[in-house]
Amino acid sequence: MDKSIGNLADRAGFGGSGLPVVVRDLTKRYGAVTAVDGISFALHPATTVALLGGNGAGKTTTIAMLLGLVMPTSGEVRVFGADMSTNRGAVAHRMNFQSPYVDLPMRLTVKENLTVYAGLYGVANVAERVAYIANDLQIESLLDRPTGKLSAGQKTRVGLAKALLNAPELLLLDEPTASLDPDTADWIRGKLKAYAQERGATLLVASHNMTEVERLADRVILLHAGRIIEDDTPARLIETYGRETLEDVFLDVVRGRVKQAVPERKAS
Amino acid sequence: MTATSAIRSGAVPLLLPPTGLHASLRRISALVQRYMYLLRSSGVRLIELIYWPFLQMLTWGFLQKYLADTTSPLAMAAGVLIGSVLLWDILFRSKIGFSTTFIEEMWSRNLGNLLTSPLRPFELVAGLSVWSIIRLLVGMVPVTLAAYFIFGFNLLDLGLPLAAFFGVLVLTSWALGLIAAGVILRYGLGAEELAWSLAFLLLPLCCVYYPVSVLPDWLQPVALALPPTHVFEGMRSILLHNTFDVTQLWWALGLNAIYLIVGYMTFSRFLASAKVNGTLLRLGE
């Protein structure tokens, strides 16, 4: 894979504001630990891209830098043309995120939480929007319940409702179906896919769930030890590695069997 | 579905402009609304806001009554101790209101949601400040009324300077709250104790219950560098001598401006530092 900046810039039109996300030479170090190691990629409008990698691969840190929650050690993150280190406020209303590492206030009811966040994101028709989202995500019966008393699946749906309140053009999702039962997880994936298609939104999904990635992603960025190992469509990755499933490809990568050394690799 | 009907149905959110004064005020009010919901959700919280100041006022009120019944000429002066208690509580409760509301966002692991929303850091600070005043009024108005009915002490007897005293104490509480919030952001909930103890550090120094002249000479400049000292000196001056030195008030306001700038810079610096260290990803753990 050609990861040179020149090539990336050509592909992504770096510096142009047309792309939802452009990441260049992004590095994050915590002391001696390098969490993200000089990665570069761009996201094109209306695509769903998966950040795939094992624990500690740098997925969450990358997402956090895209959100402006973590400052890069070096490199640059631009969202809709805005530098996220210095000008996050210019584009924050056009994006949203969901992560199992944050919660909505437990004591507030679901409706109260959604109302507050609709206000923060500048939604004018708050009551109508909350009602619509609640209906769409089938959480109407939960609206008057304290958020802290919901099951994991219900909390995920409410978290997704918060993430969709402003109909973001860029939606960042960190492990969106972590710890959910297969049925709920499948339902969430269906909703995300439908949203991306209807809104023409760009989705970046950090995950180590292969089913999720295969179902949702047009493209996979495979991270290992903070570096991009692969950046391609799921089908092409499977073909390149000569494997049956994306999970096999993932195992090859995390176990250090990079494609040059993969056994029984198909001739291209 | 037409565009208008889609907006009316909520299928399409109508987004208001994200920049400008109106946008800031809208986000600040959304944040205050969140705290209002929180207070409304728990009667215990509401009672707690009144409970401690009320106990404090009762204790010192009865002490004042006892001293007045004996021979102490100073204590016989109307309401010095109760006045001190009530004004100290304005500082202390406002500071606690600011800090605990901020800590609450960390406990509930909501800070990540807030800091990735369009809410700007200064709007978060403004929301916490507004809420600290609301909390303060919810707690202090009933206690002030109780002081009047139980001990005959009318805080309003302080006259117009009372509003100035209130302002000075609240501004100081925000400066302290900002420093505490910044340190907690940077070092995590392990530094939570600071939120509680920072105001107590001022208690002996800002001469709540005694005049500055009681302090050793070398400590008096330190006391006078603290805005609340000028408030308590002013209060004693009014209640004991029926005079009010406006110069003291200007000193207090000037000092407060410096403390607020230092407080906001500390908060901003520690927030930036938390983003560098990745602390915000581990909040609530």
Side-chain angles (χ1 to χ4, degrees):
Chain A
M1 185 187 63
D2 187 353
K3 288 196 292 175
S4 72
I5 291 301
N7 187 284
L8 179 84
D10 290 344
R11 227 170 66 204
F14 191 81
S17 58
L19 291 168
V21 174
V22 177
V23 169
R24 184 166 66 174
D25 292 336
L26 193 65
T27 296
K28 182 64 194 178
R29 289 194 197 91
Y30 298 112
V33 177
T34 303
V36 174
D37 193 2
I39 65 173
S40 299
F41 64 88
L43 301 187
H44 294 266
T47 56
T48 298
V49 178
L51 267 183
L52 185 60
N55 295 327
K59 306 184 299 291
T60 297
T61 306
T62 302
I63 293 252
M65 285 192 280
L66 284 171
L67 287 163
L69 214 51
V70 168
M71 284 295 119
T73 305
S74 63
E76 192 177 25
V77 175
R78 285 191 178 271
V79 173
F80 300 116
D83 186 336
M84 291 305 280
S85 298
T86 56
N87 199 18
R88 193 188 67 85
V91 293
H93 63 289
R94 297 172 67 183
M95 55 197 293
N96 210 321
F97 95 115
Q98 185 196 9
S99 164
Y101 307 113
V102 294
D103 282 322
L104 290 168
M106 303 286 182
R107 285 181 173 275
L108 269 59
T109 65
V110 171
K111 189 177 186 177
E112 287 169 346
N113 267 319
L114 294 179
T115 302
V116 167
Y117 275 93
L120 289 176
Y121 277 89
V123 174
N125 49 335
V126 173
E128 293 85 358
R129 183 62 181 162
V130 169
Y132 179 85
I133 286 278
N135 176 265
D136 191 37
L137 294 175
Q138 297 173 21
I139 55 170
E140 284 163 309
S141 61
L142 308 177
L143 282 176
D144 293 322
R145 287 178 57 185
T147 309
K149 293 194 173 165
L150 304 179
S151 69
Q154 289 168 334
K155 273 184 192 165
T156 303
R157 272 191 286 163
V158 170
L160 188 58
K162 171 256 161 192
L164 297 180
L165 272 173
N166 59 328
E169 296 160 70
L170 173 65
L171 182 58
L172 304 173
L173 302 154
D174 194 355
E175 309 285 0
T177 60
S179 72
L180 295 183
D181 66 72
D183 179 44
T184 311
D186 185 64
W187 188 88
I188 293 280
R189 284 178 208 122
K191 275 291 161 195
L192 288 172
K193 202 166 179 69
Y195 174 75
Q197 281 168 354
E198 286 162 18
R199 177 71 172 95
T202 303
L203 270 59
L204 182 65
V205 186
S207 180
H208 48 215
N209 184 316
M210 302 308 136
T211 312
E212 188 158 279
V213 171
E214 287 188 60
R215 170 132 187 230
L216 285 176
D218 307 312
R219 178 180 149 209
V220 175
I221 296 174
L222 203 48
L223 285 175
H224 182 57
R227 290 184 183 170
I228 294 180
I229 302 295
E230 291 292 351
D231 182 351
D232 218 327
T233 64
R236 273 212 293 270
L237 280 176
I238 291 169
E239 189 190 335
T240 305
Y241 278 78
R243 293 298 186 179
E244 297 292 319
T245 66
L246 200 55
E247 184 161 354
D248 294 332
V249 175
F250 175 76
L251 289 174
D252 283 343
V253 170
V254 296
R255 290 174 181 172
R257 299 195 300 254
V258 291
K259 66 181 170 187
Q260 288 80 3
V262 173
E264 301 167 19
R265 183 181 171 216
K266 280 183 186 172
S268 55
Chain B
M1 190 186 282
T2 64
T4 312
S5 65
I7 289 169
R8 277 206 197 111
S9 73
V12 175
L14 181 62
L15 294 183
L16 298 166
T19 53
L21 181 64
H22 279 106
S24 280
L25 291 175
R26 190 181 59 241
R27 288 190 288 266
I28 291 167
S29 67
L31 197 61
V32 172
Q33 187 180 16
R34 174 248 190 282
Y35 301 134
M36 203 76 90
Y37 284 145
L38 186 65
L39 186 63
R40 206 179 61 179
S41 73
S42 169
V44 176
R45 280 167 193 265
L46 193 60
I47 291 168
E48 197 188 22
L49 284 185
I50 303 168
Y51 179 75
W52 292 112
F54 185 75
L55 279 192
Q56 177 108 319
M57 184 274 295
L58 274 187
T59 307
W60 287 94
F62 284 125
L63 177 64
Q64 165 101 20
K65 193 168 181 301
Y66 166 71
L67 292 174
D69 289 344
T70 59
T71 54
S72 170
L74 271 184
M76 284 167 72
V80 172
L81 280 178
I82 298 184
S84 299
V85 167
L86 291 177
L87 289 183
W88 168 253
D89 255 8
I90 289 174
L91 172 67
F92 181 69
R93 298 291 153 197
S94 177
K95 154 75 180 63
I96 291 297
F98 189 103
S99 299
T100 53
T101 306
F102 181 78
I103 291 172
E104 180 114 19
E105 297 294 11
M106 296 177 76
W107 281 335
S108 62
R109 305 202 316 161
N110 184 44
L111 204 56
N113 278 322
L114 289 178
L115 293 177
T116 54
S117 79
L119 188 76
R120 273 61 160 171
F122 77 87
E123 292 165 354
L124 173 62
V125 168
L128 292 170
S129 303
V130 170
W131 181 241
S132 78
I133 291 185
I134 295 172
R135 261 181 66 123
L136 185 61
L137 293 176
V138 168
M140 292 304 292
V141 169
V143 174
T144 305
L145 286 173
Y148 176 72
F149 287 115
I150 299 171
F151 300 109
F153 176 78
N154 186 359
L155 196 63
L156 296 178
D157 282 347
L158 288 172
L160 267 185
L162 175 64
F165 291 163
F166 183 88
V168 168
L169 293 170
V170 167
L171 290 174
T172 305
S173 77
W174 291 348
L176 295 174
L178 279 165
I179 292 169
V183 173
I184 292 165
L185 255 184
R186 172 62 185 83
Y187 296 101
L189 286 171
E192 190 184 332
E193 199 57 39
L194 186 76
W196 301 100
S197 57
L198 200 57
F200 282 119
L201 186 68
L202 294 190
L203 186 57
L205 290 176
C206 64
C207 304
V208 179
Y209 301 113
Y210 40 79
V212 176
S213 56
V214 168
L215 296 178
D217 288 346
W218 62 269
L219 204 53
Q220 288 185 18
V222 178
L224 291 170
L226 301 169
T229 306
H230 300 273
V231 167
F232 293 110
E233 288 288 280
M235 177 209 66
R236 276 186 289 270
S237 177
I238 292 173
L239 292 181
L240 295 175
H241 311 297
N242 213 19
T243 59
F244 176 61
D245 184 1
V246 183
T247 319
Q248 288 217 329
L249 195 60
W250 288 119
W251 265 109
L253 286 171
L255 287 168
N256 257 334
I258 296 169
Y259 282 103
L260 269 177
I261 290 168
V262 170
Y264 191 76
M265 282 172 67
T266 306
F267 177 79
S268 300
R269 204 178 180 88
F270 278 133
L271 176 60
S273 171
K275 287 183 176 183
V276 168
N277 290 295
T279 320
L280 297 176
L281 279 180
R282 301 189 293 273
L283 292 177
E285 289 178 1

